[in-house]
Amino acid sequence: MTSALLVIDLQNDFCPGGALAVPDGDQIVSGINALMETFGAVILTQDWHPSGHSSFASSHPGKSPYEVIQMPYGPQVLWPDHCVQGSEGAAFHAGLNTTRADLILRKGYNPAIDSYSAFFENDQTTPTGLHGYLQTRGITDLTMVGLATDFCVNYSALDATRLGYRVTVRRDLARGIDLGGSLAAAEAAMAAAGVTLQ
Ligand code: VGL
Ligand code: ZN
């Protein structure tokens, strides 16, 4: 078996002081840097939205952040503007060891579709290309860490198990947004799907 570490969205906007701050999101950086040294493959994901992205509440007159709307592909939480391409908020946390990364995968660049998962956009059909990359490298096992446990980590872990990877989520190296119980729901869904919650 060949394993990779997938570091999800460890960006300024998801850390304290950022536009969509995850509580204690910055507390996991040094632990993730240390964990990188134990993996033969390290992949970072980067949430990377064009300004005016359809997941931003500001793109929907009269709507507020954290409201849910119906998109052609299903329900979508509306977020504060975050991780706008090229902005400081979209940059990786300054303490993250990005030098160690083999691949930096950007997602969420499609103006009309959000992409929580590192594998598929939120329509659950448009691929990001990560599956092909991992397959051609012979990677079968994935350990996931980063932000946010209940959104991008959760969706990535569920897609990865569906695609046949063995998936571990390091809860100690992930943090959640927790909108109305979404953290507990995500952990239950991951456990039910066969994700190892460590
Ligand atoms: C994320 C909400 C919106 C995440 C990204 O990285 O979990 N959450 N965009
Ligand atoms: Zn986003």
Side-chain angles (χ1 to χ4, degrees):
M1 65 108 167
T2 309
S3 306
L5 178 64
L6 194 58
V7 181
I8 310 277
D9 297 1
L10 210 54
Q11 295 163 260
N12 290 326
D13 271 340
F14 297 121
C15 290
L20 180 38
V22 180
D24 294 330
D26 57 340
Q27 300 297 303
I28 59 178
V29 173
S30 62
I32 290 173
N33 287 341
L35 189 60
M36 285 179 188
E37 302 310 321
T38 71
F39 277 84
V42 176
I43 296 152
L44 310 180
T45 69
Q46 191 171 26
D47 209 34
W48 196 249
H49 300 305
S51 58
H53 190 256
S54 58
S55 75
F56 297 169
S58 63
S59 302
H60 303 270
K63 297 292 180 190
S64 304
Y66 310 108
E67 281 186 55
V68 179
I69 62 163
Q70 286 302 320
M71 296 288 270
Y73 54 81
Q76 169 71 49
V77 181
L78 295 177
W79 303 106
D81 291 24
H82 66 280
C83 296
V84 173
Q85 296 174 354
S87 68
E88 192 50 33
F92 289 111
H93 184 283
L96 186 70
N97 178 8
T98 58
T99 307
R100 182 64 186 77
D102 302 333
L103 174 74
I104 296 176
L105 182 99
R106 289 171 169 169
K107 62 182 180 63
Y109 44 74
N110 183 340
I113 312 181
D114 206 0
S115 188
Y116 295 149
S117 167
F119 292 92
F120 294 100
E121 297 187 351
N122 285 9
D123 61 3
Q124 294 177 324
T125 51
T126 308
T128 64
L130 181 59
H131 183 41
Y133 174 87
L134 295 172
Q135 278 186 314
T136 52
R137 286 194 66 183
I139 291 166
T140 53
D141 290 54
L142 295 170
T143 293
M144 300 190 188
V145 297
L147 306 170
T149 313
D150 39 353
F151 288 91
C152 290
V153 175
N154 177 37
Y155 279 68
S156 298
L158 294 177
D159 279 348
T161 53
R162 277 184 214 114
L163 291 168
Y165 296 92
R166 273 186 294 264
V167 183
T168 298
V169 170
R170 284 280 301 260
R171 296 169 75 236
D172 58 328
L173 295 176
R175 293 290 183 275
I177 298 173
D178 204 13
L179 280 184
S182 59
L183 186 53
E187 290 187 343
M190 288 190 282
V195 174
T196 301
L197 293 171
Q198 197 172 290

